[in-house]
Amino acid sequence: MTLEERRKFPGINAQRADIIIAGAAIIETLMEELEISEIKISKSGLREGLLVDYLSKSEFSHLITQMSVRKRSIMQLGLACNFDEEHAHIVSRLALELFDSIQALGIYEFREEERELLEYGATLHDIGMFLSYDTHQSHAYHLIRESSLPGFQPEEIEIIANLAYFHRKNTPKKKHPNLTGLNKDIVKSIRVLSTLLRIAESLDRSHNGIISHVRFYIASTRSLVLEIQAQWECQLELWEVEKQKKYFKKIFGYNFQSKVIIDQGLETLPVLYTF
């Protein structure tokens, strides 16, 4: 076959069509020299081994056998991209607290799998940072989509990748190229979950872990309070959260104001910010 014929052949990645012959020759030679009649391809690879090796040498070694395939896939990709693990976990925790409080209030009905996908999108939202800060959301999107995360369906990968993309700057508008061809349920999940992720990311804008806990509660018929428990003053975080108000109202139909409770040991100082 010519190169162009190989590119069109079913089962061959078009980008690998130029090296497929050399690769096949190496495998054939290996099998002949070792007198091997067949090869079984492992579903795991070097990256899975690196993750297990990393965890076995860390304080999390006892969690290896407890970690699901899906969780392992997410951690593997984050570690491969040298992500800020502490920040990722803080944003993930805050995003889930926002999710749980919205769900408890009954103002939106989430689908069963959306909480888990929000957690994973929050974990990986900054993995593009090692390539470029200014466009790291775009790099994160492509890294996630091209990583073929074991344990995930294609539509789940699309949601996680788009959560990483829309955690800053652009919001998921209907005609955005990322959303072209996706069904309406997937687009709806991206819009709703990215709203919560954008707030969670804002709440750790300084990357100092200032915010201990966060929750929504109802203030009036169409208004919520975002209660923020902080270790000290968090003006930068509040400034960033304020930017998310308009899109939050568009998605959930509620305005909200922020109430900050600063933890000062045995005493707390409540400060009400309205915006």
Side-chain angles (χ1 to χ4, degrees), residues 43-184:
K43 293 182 179 179
S44 300
L46 178 61
R47 290 181 299 178
E48 281 80 7
L50 287 171
L51 174 63
V52 172
D53 182 65
Y54 170 83
L55 291 174
S56 68
K57 296 175 181 178
S58 74
E59 59 182 300
F60 304 109
S61 60
H62 64 288
L63 298 177
I64 294 177
T65 57
Q66 303 173 22
M67 191 176 291
S68 68
V69 172
R70 289 159 70 92
K71 184 73 171 181
R72 190 177 301 173
S73 297
I74 297 298
M75 287 299 297
Q76 168 190 306
L77 180 55
L79 292 168
C81 297
N82 195 30
F83 73 147
D84 184 340
E85 190 171 350
E86 183 178 1
H87 173 66
H89 289 321
I90 289 172
V91 173
S92 177
R93 173 177 57 80
L94 294 174
L96 293 181
E97 288 186 359
L98 293 170
F99 180 100
D100 291 341
S101 65
I102 290 288
Q103 189 171 51
L105 293 175
I107 64 176
Y108 185 84
E109 186 175 347
F110 294 101
R111 292 190 290 126
E112 182 178 353
E113 70 276 12
E114 287 182 315
R115 189 180 191 275
E116 182 187 17
L117 297 178
L118 174 60
E119 177 185 1
Y120 296 152
T123 301
L124 297 179
H125 75 282
D126 272 350
I127 62 170
M129 292 278 277
F130 78 100
L131 293 172
S132 167
Y133 173 78
D134 289 340
T135 57
H136 71 268
Q137 72 280 0
S138 180
H139 292 299
Y141 169 76
H142 291 292
L143 285 166
I144 295 168
R145 290 189 80 227
E146 299 301 322
S147 292
S148 301
L149 297 171
F152 291 92
Q153 297 297 320
E155 58 270 19
E156 293 178 314
I157 294 176
E158 284 289 351
I159 292 174
I160 295 170
N162 276 288
L163 289 181
Y165 183 88
F166 290 113
H167 86 271
R168 68 192 293 264
K169 293 189 176 181
N170 293 332
T171 56
K173 295 180 175 62
K174 187 176 182 180
K175 295 184 179 180
H176 194 282
N178 282 18
L179 308 181
T180 302
L182 301 181
N183 70 50
K184 62 180 183 180

Side-chain angles (χ1 to χ4, degrees), residues 205-217:
R205 183 65 179 83
S206 63
H207 287 224
N208 286 327
I210 298 172
I211 310 303
S212 303
H213 296 287
V214 63
R215 71 180 180 108
F216 283 110
Y217 65 82

Side-chain angles (χ1 to χ4, degrees), residues 201-230:
E201 163 72 1
S202 299
L203 289 168
D204 196 40
R205 183 65 179 83
S206 63
H207 287 224
N208 286 327
I210 298 172
I211 310 303
S212 303
H213 296 287
V214 63
R215 71 180 180 108
F216 283 110
Y217 65 82
I218 294 176
S220 63
T221 306
R222 304 312 301 174
S223 180
L224 303 177
V225 171
L226 178 62
E227 183 180 87
I228 303 168
Q229 185 175 331

